[in-house]
Every structure is written in structure tokens, then in C-alpha cells.
Amino acid sequence: MVTDIVTVNELVKRFHFRRTDGGLLPTFSGGAHIVVEMRDEERTRLNPYSLMSSPLDTRDYTISVRRDDAGRGGSLFMHSRVEPGQRMVISSPVNLFSLDLRARKHLMIAGGIGITPFLAQTAQLAAEGGNFELHYCFRNDGVGSYADFLRQRYDRKVNLYRSDLQETFELERVLATQPLGTHLYVCGPEGMIDWVRATAAGLGWPGETVHYEHFAAPQPGKPFDVTLALSGIDIRVGEHESLLEAIEAAGIDPPYLCRGGVCGQCETNVISHDGKFLHNDHWLSEEDRRSGCKIMPCVSRFEGRSLVLER
Amino acid sequence: MGINFRQETFRNDFSFKNSPEQIRRFPFPFHEDGYMYSVNIEPHVPGPKNTVFEHLFDVDEHYISEMRDRAMVLAEDPLRCQSLPHMTLAGWDTLELLMTEKAKSYPDLFSLTRDGDKWHWINRPLGIDDRFTFGDTSTLPYGPLEYITRQSQGDFAVLDQRDGNLWMDAGMVTTQADWSLDFDIGMNFFEWHAPVPLAHEMGVFNRALKFLMAIQQGQPARRFNWTMTINPRLDTSPENYHKWGTDRTTVTPDNVGHKVHLRVEVQMFFRLPRSNALLFPIRCYLIKMEELVSSPKWARRFHRVLRDLPDELAEYKGLVRYRPTTVEWLSKYDDGQPTSPGFGPD
């Protein structure tokens, strides 16, 4: 049940969930997300959100939702249609962005709403005396969700950068001065993730010490038609619908975990196609893409005459 | 209820036996008259009464004796239980899972009382009554993984999940089919499966890894594996190969019935919530050929499986020396009749 909704700033609302029977929710680890089911008349949306509450207190789960006016409507639904007291179905927590517990130090870099998994991870680390340092970049005071909270709680472990004040995050200096055994985590917009990964690679950080989470939501696009060969069904993917959602709406349940093009679970074989793929995932290899034999229906789309999938 | 715990041995005089009730609940792993690898994973949900799947963690008549055997193995070789430094949290996850499930499944045998992080654990069959602070290793006589797996049948591998792979970074392994935790510790999924024949070419491991990495909290899975063991020895480890390797030369037509055992592993997979590690319990069940043939269907089917097993698999499972003798013995129980589908006895 939604127990509370807090307006954090002009773009972000925070939602608190508790069990309807008052019991504890499942234990989780920092970096985990849940999938929230939104029933919007005849459509069902399933959107993933990072858990930001402390893993040490599972009486409630909290998530923050940034309103995306150009998106497919999931965040707008959360912002405008969800009210305290409402019952919603959420999934068990899944962690695709977990801390590497071998690290001697955890260096975290967040951009914008990408701060949310770090709120849970810092709470977890602080409780066990873990060594962490957080760098948080955001546009202005109005959208710096939880900046004050983090600063108060963790003081100098937290570094804030406001782009409206031309405060620059000297990434190279920060990366160059870390002790051996540090692991790097980055969550934020795609450009930031690419920048951090490239800079780290250039400075010789081993790939396995660099962890990142894209929270790319599926993008809207032109409608397209698909034939699901195994089920013998033809479907149309609407403008504000993902291919995965359209497949689910047809009564077929492919496996999924992240719904964001990262985990690989919903990978689907292409039997034939005549047109162009719009691959938006971070899962398929270049070779997979060139072959035209695979698509990630959670985030990717298609433009063309025909697409036949092995579903 | 109440389980009639047997006093028996898995070494020296090998007094291990299954009661008729235990034979009936034996997890016979062949659903058809042949065997080839498959990932064969299914959800690990509680099953019918009087089966080994009635509870998530089965406790049976061999419990006390198996735990005594484990203690003997550990006394000789402490490296059978290891946990790399970053795996302590996964050890606490394991302890919580085993304690809560055991107390829920067998309230007359186990009890757990929790007041915040002050926990009180009672294990009546083993005579244990301990109070400790959850998360504080100094309040237990062993590390959390060792403490609870000294009280739980089956081996336990604890796999860290990172870099798109699973890593064998902790475990308790004393009832294994010829593999070594001390050898495998720190290896990833492909490294520790490297010796398995055929399966790599079949792409089994890529599919299995993808599935395992996606195992979610509260949705455990299980699969069967099997081999054969001469004498009811739990500890068939590489470390002790000199003690059991030669057993395989001792099979004669007269002793197959009580010397040759089908060894079935029920392998389970649980996502651990705090550490995000994967717990991989491997529970070993042994049954003598003379016990197995008390079910005519199992007798017919196992005869056919063993007779038709590809040579590579027989080699890998170490059955080559005594397979002909055992097949010959089993053939007396195979009248050529068809077998019914499914695992259970008729």
C-alpha cells in the first residue's frame, strides 16, 4: 500500500510502500530495484525504480520518481494518479547494481535522479563502517534531491556539484587519487556514464572495478507491427508502449528483470525482418546487432515493413 | 511427527541403511529410461508430504549421523569450510535462511527466537542451545556459515555474483562427489565446470549461468544431479581419494546389492538478500542397489539408464570399472516391461 507521497522538488516525488498486513517487506541489498505495476485503465505498465530506503529497515520501501513529460507516461501516472492509501503490486527486489563487497573503498558518482541507489548503498555501508565517498552532480538547488540530507548525514564523504553555479566535478583528479582496491560506481544519464567509464579506462582502472547502472526507460516511438511466430499472433506496438509491454498485453509472458535493456533476460530471436532496428539496449553485442537476429523488446523498437519474432 | 534418527556410519564399517519409509521418499532422478545432460531446473517450491521436497530444507533419519560424519571430516581437514573475507555477510544470510526455514518446517526439532539482533537458536536433535547477536561473528563459536552448516545436511557452496559471473568464494563441502572446495575456491562458473565433458559444446553452461544470475529472492530453484558411489561414503573427496578410490575395484556379482549406491544430489539455488550472493546447497542422498530394486519401476529404469549411458559420462562419473557388473546384476530385475512416466515408484 502507498502510505505516503512526498514532493521532493519540482520534478521528483517520493513514494512510500508498506505491506497491507503490516509485516516486514523482504530484506534487500543496496542497489536493488523493484518493478511497480501501474494499472491504467486497459493498459498495464511495469516500471523499475531503485529502492532508496535503508536496507536495514524493511518496514517500508521508498522510491523516487522523476517526472518525465516526454516519456511514455509511467512517471506521469505515478505523479498524477497515485494517492496515499492506494494498493499497488510491486515485485520482489532484484539487484543488478550491487556493491562489490571485496572493495576496500566504494567511490560513488551520481547524476540527477541517479542518486537513488546510492541512498540505499550509503545507508548499508555506513551501518557496517564501510569506506565510501560520494560525488553528486545536479543542475540546481531545486532538483538536487536529497543533497542536504546526504551532506548532513555523511558530511565530508559527500561532495556536491551544482551546474548552475558552475561547480565542476574534477573527475580525473578524483579518480587519480584513490587508494588501491577502490571500486567505482556510477549511476546517471548516459553521457555521464560514458564519460566516467572512458575516463576510468584511460587512467587504467580495471574493468571489473567499474560498475554502472543505466536507468534508461523505454522511449516512445512510431507504432509498428510484429508477428509472434510461436504464438501465432500479430500485434501492434503503440507509440507509448514498449515491444515487451505489447507482447505481454497479448497474453505472453517473456522473462524479464530490469525492463531497461541491461539484464538480458528478455532477449528475443528475430526470425525475419524487413526494416530497421532501433536498438536501445546495453545488452546485445555489436555482432548481435549486425546479424539482425536478436532484439531486446524491453527498450528496443523497429521501423519497417515486417518483423517476425520467436515468441 | 518425529523422525527416528538412525545411529550409523559412513566410513569403516559402513552401517548406513535406509528405512523402508526413507526408500519410498528417495528422490529418484530419472523421469525416463535414459539420461543425457539437461539444465533441468525447476522452481524449488514445497512439494507433497512424505517426499524430500515437503520442506525447502529436508531433515531426514540420517541427520544426526551425517552431522557427526561432517564434524569428523572437519577435524581432519578444516579447509573443507572456507569463506573469503567479503563473504561473511553471505554467511549471515545463509544462517538466517537455514534457521528460519528449519524452525518453520520442524518446530518440534528447531526453534528460533528473534528480538532485534538478539537471536536464540535451539537445535534439539544435536543438543544445541545458543544465544548470539546477528551480524556479530564474535558471539558464535564458528563463523556464521560454518556454524549453521555444521547443523545442516548437504554441502553448501556460496557464490558471489559480480562481473557477469558467479564466483565460488565460500562453502562447506564434506559430502561431495569428487570435487574440492579448496581447489575451486575463488574460481568462476566456467572455471570450476571446466572438467565436465560434452556440456560446454552443448552450450549448457552459458544458459545455466544466465538462468542462475537471474534467480530472485523468494523464488529458489532446484535440479538433480547423480553419480554412483561404492560403499555409503559421504566424503568422496579428491583429498581422500586414496581412501575410497580403490573401493571401485571391490565390486563383485555377489556384493553389488549392498556395496553399489546410486548417489543423487538435489541441488538448490537461493538468492541471498543482504549480500546478493547465490546459495547453492547440494544435498546428497544415497541408496543401495538392493534398496533401489524394491521398486520394480526404479529397477527397470535404472538398469536401462546405466546400460545406455554414453561412455564419456560413465568415464566422468567414475563408473567405468563396475558398470558391467552392476548392469548385469540389475538386468535380473528388468523384465523388459515398459515403465510409467514420471519419477515416483509405481
Side-chain angles (χ1 to χ4, degrees):
Chain A
M1 193 194 315
V2 179
T3 50
D4 199 8
I5 301 175
V6 179
T7 301
V8 179
N9 59 42
E10 58 196 67
L11 287 177
V12 177
K13 281 189 178 180
R14 182 170 74 238
F15 298 80
H16 294 247
F17 297 95
R18 291 199 176 203
R19 283 173 70 116
T20 48
D21 64 7
L24 292 179
L25 290 154
T27 308
F28 69 98
S29 49
H33 71 261
I34 54 171
V35 174
V36 178
E37 185 177 309
M38 303 169 205
R39 291 190 174 280
D40 185 2
E41 284 148 26
E42 80 286 3
R43 303 189 44 178
T44 301
R45 284 193 194 82
L46 296 165
N47 279 16
Y49 294 103
S50 292
L51 287 170
M52 53 169 283
S53 43
S54 167
L56 308 176
D57 179 4
T58 55
R59 279 172 305 179
D60 76 357
Y61 281 174
T62 60
I63 60 171
S64 283
V65 179
R66 182 182 187 278
R67 197 182 73 230
D68 181 1
D69 295 321
R72 298 169 321 115
S75 64
L76 283 175
F77 179 90
M78 291 298 290
H79 271 251
S80 59
R81 304 276 298 280
V82 176
E83 287 170 357
Q86 192 165 329
R87 287 173 181 235
M88 298 185 83
V89 175
I90 62 175
S91 72
S92 286
V94 176
N95 200 338
L96 301 173
F97 187 52
S98 58
L99 293 169
D100 190 319
L101 297 173
R102 296 173 308 165
R104 304 228 172 103
K105 178 178 174 184
H106 304 272
L107 174 66
M108 301 164 171
I109 298 174
I113 194 67
I115 191 65
T116 51
F118 295 126
L119 286 159
Q121 290 182 336
T122 50
Q124 180 181 336
L125 286 170
E128 59 203 36
N131 185 6
F132 69 89
E133 176 180 317
L134 171 69
H135 297 266
Y136 178 20
C137 308
F138 50 96
R139 240 181 305 149
N140 58 54
D141 208 22
V143 297
S145 328
Y146 312 112
D148 295 340
F149 164 85
L150 284 163
R151 187 33 109 34
Q152 273 167 25
R153 177 163 289 193
Y154 304 121
D155 193 26
R156 287 197 304 176
K157 289 182 170 185
V158 175
N159 302 272
L160 306 173
Y161 309 92
R162 282 176 55 178
S163 56
D164 66 329
L165 300 181
Q166 277 78 48
E167 292 173 343
T168 38
F169 170 36
E170 295 179 63
L171 175 63
E172 266 197 55
R173 187 186 52 77
V174 168
L175 291 184
T177 54
Q178 295 301 322
L180 214 60
T182 302
H183 277 246
L184 170 63
Y185 306 83
V186 54
C187 183
E190 187 153 357
M192 176 183 216
I193 293 175
D194 293 345
W195 173 52
V196 171
R197 289 178 64 200
T199 308
L203 290 169
W205 284 62
E208 64 269 21
T209 62
V210 180
H211 313 269
Y212 50 94
E213 177 153 74
H214 291 278
F215 51 102
Q219 293 304 305
K222 288 184 201 148
F224 58 102
D225 295 313
V226 183
T227 300
L228 306 177
L230 299 185
S231 333
I233 304 176
D234 291 320
I235 57 170
R236 162 152 281 228
V237 183
E239 182 184 352
H240 290 285
E241 194 176 30
S242 72
L243 173 54
L244 178 61
E245 287 167 345
I247 294 173
E248 289 168 339
I252 297 151
D253 288 315
Y256 70 82
L257 282 181
C258 74
R259 302 182 82 86
V262 177
C263 76
Q265 285 300 305
C266 67
E267 181 183 295
T268 299
N269 290 328
V270 175
I271 294 173
S272 68
H273 70 284
D274 176 7
K276 187 174 76 158
F277 291 104
L278 306 171
H279 290 296
N280 296 316
D281 63 277
H282 300 279
W283 172 258
L284 294 180
S285 63
E286 266 314 308
E287 198 183 323
D288 287 336
R289 290 182 181 203
R290 267 199 309 273
S291 75
C293 292
K294 286 179 177 165
I295 186 169
M296 304 305 297
C298 58
V299 290
S300 297
R301 304 184 73 86
F302 183 78
E303 280 176 4
R305 252 179 268 164
S306 76
L307 175 62
V308 182
L309 298 181
E310 191 182 60
R311 280 285 176 207
Chain B
M1 49 179 282
I3 299 169
N4 193 9
F5 294 111
R6 296 177 49 83
Q7 296 296 328
E8 60 194 356
T9 58
F10 302 89
R11 55 180 72 204
N12 304 322
D13 64 339
F14 295 112
S15 62
F16 162 90
K17 267 204 306 209
N18 288 300
S19 68
E21 299 75 46
Q22 182 73 5
I23 293 173
R24 266 196 295 281
R25 72 200 292 280
F26 186 80
F28 187 71
F30 307 107
H31 67 280
E32 59 187 9
D33 292 355
Y35 173 77
M36 190 52 202
Y37 288 130
S38 61
V39 178
N40 70 43
I41 298 178
E42 58 180 347
H44 184 40
V45 289
K49 260 188 115 48
N50 301 318
T51 69
V52 300
F53 300 123
E54 182 174 350
H55 303 295
L56 290 188
F57 294 98
D58 180 43
V59 174
D60 67 19
E61 63 184 16
H62 307 299
Y63 176 55
I64 293 175
S65 296
E66 283 190 26
M67 292 301 98
R68 191 186 304 127
D69 195 72
R70 166 159 291 165
M72 286 191 264
V73 174
L74 288 166
E76 287 174 5
D77 184 359
L79 292 178
R80 298 302 189 87
C81 183
Q82 298 190 42
S83 177
L84 297 184
H86 62 282
M87 297 302 281
T88 306
L89 186 62
W92 286 108
D93 274 331
T94 305
L95 176 141
E96 178 183 42
L97 177 67
L98 285 166
M99 285 187 178
T100 52
E101 285 301 324
K102 280 195 155 82
K104 191 167 79 185
S105 302
Y106 304 96
D108 51 341
L109 303 180
F110 306 98
S111 104
L112 176 67
T113 318
R114 292 193 273 190
D115 175 14
D117 59 3
K118 305 290 177 221
W119 291 29
H120 181 197
W121 168 247
I122 301 173
N123 177 334
R124 292 184 188 87
L126 297 183
I128 292 168
D129 184 329
D130 282 333
R131 291 167 198 274
F132 62 94
T133 305
F134 186 85
D136 181 352
T137 303
S138 70
T139 60
L140 284 175
Y142 307 101
L145 178 67
E146 178 166 359
Y147 178 79
I148 195 58
T149 57
R150 278 176 176 266
Q151 305 177 41
S152 301
Q153 287 168 278
D155 285 341
F156 293 84
V158 195
L159 315 179
D160 194 21
Q161 180 159 328
R162 57 173 201 270
D163 310 334
N165 213 324
L166 294 166
W167 304 81
M168 180 86 67
D169 285 350
M172 165 69 90
V173 179
T174 69
T175 67
Q176 69 278 57
D178 203 8
W179 69 281
S180 163
L181 176 69
D182 192 38
F183 185 75
D184 286 358
I185 192 109
M187 287 190 187
N188 70 35
F189 189 77
F190 297 108
E191 290 167 343
W192 82 69
H193 281 118
V196 183
L198 301 180
H200 292 274
E201 293 79 355
M202 292 164 63
V204 168
F205 290 122
N206 282 314
R207 288 201 299 278
L209 177 64
K210 183 175 165 189
F211 179 88
L212 293 174
M213 295 201 14
I215 297 253
Q216 291 187 59
Q217 245 169 277
Q219 295 175 24
R222 67 175 176 239
R223 70 181 287 263
F224 286 121
N225 197 8
W226 70 279
T227 186
M228 296 177 76
T229 302
I230 304 309
N231 295 326
R233 192 190 293 274
L234 287 174
D235 176 27
T236 49
S237 55
E239 287 90 338
N240 279 333
Y241 185 79
H242 58 288
K243 295 182 185 165
W244 59 269
T246 53
D247 287 359
R248 297 188 289 197
T249 64
T250 62
V251 177
T252 67
D254 298 330
N255 64 19
V256 168
H258 63 269
K259 220 176 212 322
V260 178
H261 293 72
L262 172 60
R263 181 183 192 114
V264 173
E265 291 176 354
V266 178
Q267 306 182 339
M268 293 155 271
F269 309 94
F270 290 84
R271 176 69 54 203
L272 297 175
R274 293 175 183 77
S275 56
N276 203 40
L278 196 70
L279 180 66
F280 177 34
I282 308 158
R283 175 67 182 277
C284 163
Y285 293 89
L286 292 167
I287 191 168
K288 296 175 191 299
M289 287 301 105
E290 64 195 15
E291 294 170 342
L292 186 91
V293 297
S294 65
S295 155
K297 170 179 163 184
W298 289 354
R300 288 186 196 108
R301 178 165 292 169
F302 189 55
H303 170 245
R304 297 167 196 178
V305 167
L306 193 59
R307 183 190 62 198
D308 303 337
L309 190 70
D311 289 340
E312 296 96 322
L313 291 186
E315 177 74 37
Y316 173 64
K317 289 176 187 288
L319 323 175
V320 171
R321 281 194 94 114
Y322 54 87
R323 176 157 76 153
T325 315
T326 307
V327 169
E328 177 63 28
W329 188 88
L330 283 166
S331 69
K332 292 180 296 188
Y333 299 88
D334 186 354
D335 54 12
Q337 293 295 307
T339 53
S340 61
F343 298 99
D346 283 324

